[in-house]
């Protein structure tokens, strides 16, 4: 029997025992949202590819306008107009200017643009400039945004809409991403029936299967449903082996404590190397982790609330590790609505609701000893109480993890 580990030790163990898979597949840009980038993306070209104006105004040579003012405008010859979406073939000689729209190309020889607000068109082929330009003023130069070889996005990034925009800008329409992890999900227990079945005496519906599948999908993995297995060690082992055969990771739930029928630990130990049996957290203590090669074999507690928190706090970071990324969760600060007890020497997780009132965020812990649905349904997030903490008074500032 392995000793119980602290949550920090478990996260370190995960990093030590599992390595990024380093796999890659190419998907079209429109399918790349929320996928994990498999490689750094360097630009292959200049963006923009030409010098552009950032204002509506006149492109000109700054030195032709030095010293001008409202009272003594610089008078320049207007030689023409740059059209949007066309190159600037115009020649702009000394003491001349050309009209340029926002984003228009700057003609050769010009070194700045003066906003239209600081000019006066005299209508006779000349323009008065009322405010001096300066070299580079109101310009974006070729390659200012990116240039060939500059890294635009790094491997491990989960692609957000703004990243899709950046990829479009450099013409990267085939995007190398990590193939979705296939994760086998098995629920175990003689008492379980599928959610679409009516439980008989002593039976309950399988909560963990659908819940874990949803959690995995939200993370970006592909859950593979291996259904419900009764508490029969041989059958469970066959299912777990089939799952390990075709998936990148296997999650069993139920049967992870030390009961006679609790075979998950033995099975995981026989299929590979047992790394962990027990995390010092509440809920969630009876958790098992093992591996066959670089493939995680995970045994979650059967109790759905425990299974949920262990999966969220440890399984998702583990899967992220396989994809070469690190999960980040930014808690919000909230005021605890009522006191919370904790004095058992284990890290405690409490589901809570968030409420905003008078511009203040308040965290209302969901208290329910055994009420399963009330703890899962409608929780906005959870708060963590350190193992050394003896409880928190109402009004205390807490951090709520909510995404
Ligand atoms: P176990 O870890 O198998 O000892 O189960 C602990 C508790 O969780 C028992 O009350 C089980 O009925 C319940 N349980 C186990 N697996 C599931 C599941 N997939 N869905 C709902 N409840 C479960
Ligand atoms: Mg069981």
């Amino acid at each position: 029997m392995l000793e119980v580990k602290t949550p920090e030790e478990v996260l370190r163990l995960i990093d030590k025992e599992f390595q990024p898979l380093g796999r890659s597949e190419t998907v079209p840009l429109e399918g790349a949202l929320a996928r994990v980038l498999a490689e750094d993306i360097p630009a292959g070209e200049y963006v923009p590819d030409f010098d552009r104006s950032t204002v509506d105004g006149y492109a000109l040579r700054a030195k032709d306008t030095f010293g001008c003012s409202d009272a003594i405008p610089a008078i320049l010859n207007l030689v023409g107009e740059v059209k949007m979406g066309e190159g600037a073939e115009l020649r702009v000689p000394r003491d001349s200017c050309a009209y340029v729209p926002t984003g228009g190309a700057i003609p050769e020889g010009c070194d700045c643009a003066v906003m239209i607000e600081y000019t006066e068109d005299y209508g006779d082929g000349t323009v008065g400039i009322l405010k001096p330009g300066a070299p580079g003023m109101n310009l974006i130069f070729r390659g200012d945004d990116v240039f060939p070889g500059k890294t635009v996005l790094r491997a491990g990034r989960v692609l957000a809409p703004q990243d899709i925009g950046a990829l479009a800008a450099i013409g990267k329409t085939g995007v190398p991403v990590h193939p979705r992890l296939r994760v086998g999900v098995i629920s175990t227990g003689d008492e379980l029936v599928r959610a679409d079945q009516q439980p008989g005496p002593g039976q309950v519906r399988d909560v963990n299967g659908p819940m874990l599948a949803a959690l995995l999908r939200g993370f970006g993995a592909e859950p593979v449903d291996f259904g419900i297995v009764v508490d029969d060690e041989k059958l469970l082992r066959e299912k777990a082996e089939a799952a390990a055969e075709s998936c990148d990771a296997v999650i069993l739930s139920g049967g992870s404590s030390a009961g006679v029928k609790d075979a998950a630990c033995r099975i995981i130990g026989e299929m590979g190397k047992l790394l962990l049996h027990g995390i010092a957290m509440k809920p969630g203590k009876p958790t098992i982790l093992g591996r066959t090669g670089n493939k995680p074999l995970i045994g979650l507690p059967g109790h759905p609330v425990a299974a949920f928190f262990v999966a969220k706090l440890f399984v998702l970071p583990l899967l992220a590790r396989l994809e070469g990324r690190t999960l980040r969760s930014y808690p919000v600060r909230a005021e605890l609505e009522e006191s919370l007890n904790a004095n058992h020497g284990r890290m405690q997780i409490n589901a809570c609701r968030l409420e905003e009132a008078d511009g203040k965020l308040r965290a209302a812990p969901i208290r329910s000893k055994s009420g399963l649905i009330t703890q899962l349904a409608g929780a906005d997030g959870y708060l963590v109480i350190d193992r050394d903490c003896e409880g928190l008074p109402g009004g205390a500032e807490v951090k709520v993890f909510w995404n």
Side-chain angles (χ1 to χ4, degrees), residues 183-195:
V183 182
V185 178
I186 305 170
S187 297
T188 75
D190 287 336
E191 75 283 20
L192 302 179
V193 298
R194 288 198 326 258

Side-chain angles (χ1 to χ4, degrees), residues 290-371:
R291 65 175 170 85
T292 157
N294 196 27
K295 207 171 271 196
L297 306 171
I298 301 149
L300 296 181
H303 194 287
V305 177
F308 176 77
F309 284 124
V310 173
K312 196 145 170 76
L313 269 63
F314 302 100
V315 177
L316 297 189
L318 166 48
L319 298 178
R321 169 85 177 145
L322 297 181
E323 291 182 325
R325 61 165 159 146
T326 308
L327 285 187
R328 272 178 251 280
S329 177
Y330 300 104
V332 292
R333 282 169 200 284
E335 190 185 292
L336 192 62
E337 205 155 83
E338 44 187 294
S339 65
L340 266 180
N341 290 331
N343 50 12
H344 35 70
R346 289 190 268 155
M347 178 180 90
Q348 178 173 316
I349 314 279
N350 265 90
C352 65
R353 294 203 177 87
L354 285 171
E355 291 152 8
E356 206 178 352
D358 307 325
K360 255 203 207 154
L361 209 51
R362 290 160 69 86
I366 299 174
R367 294 172 189 275
S368 177
K369 241 210 240 143
S370 51

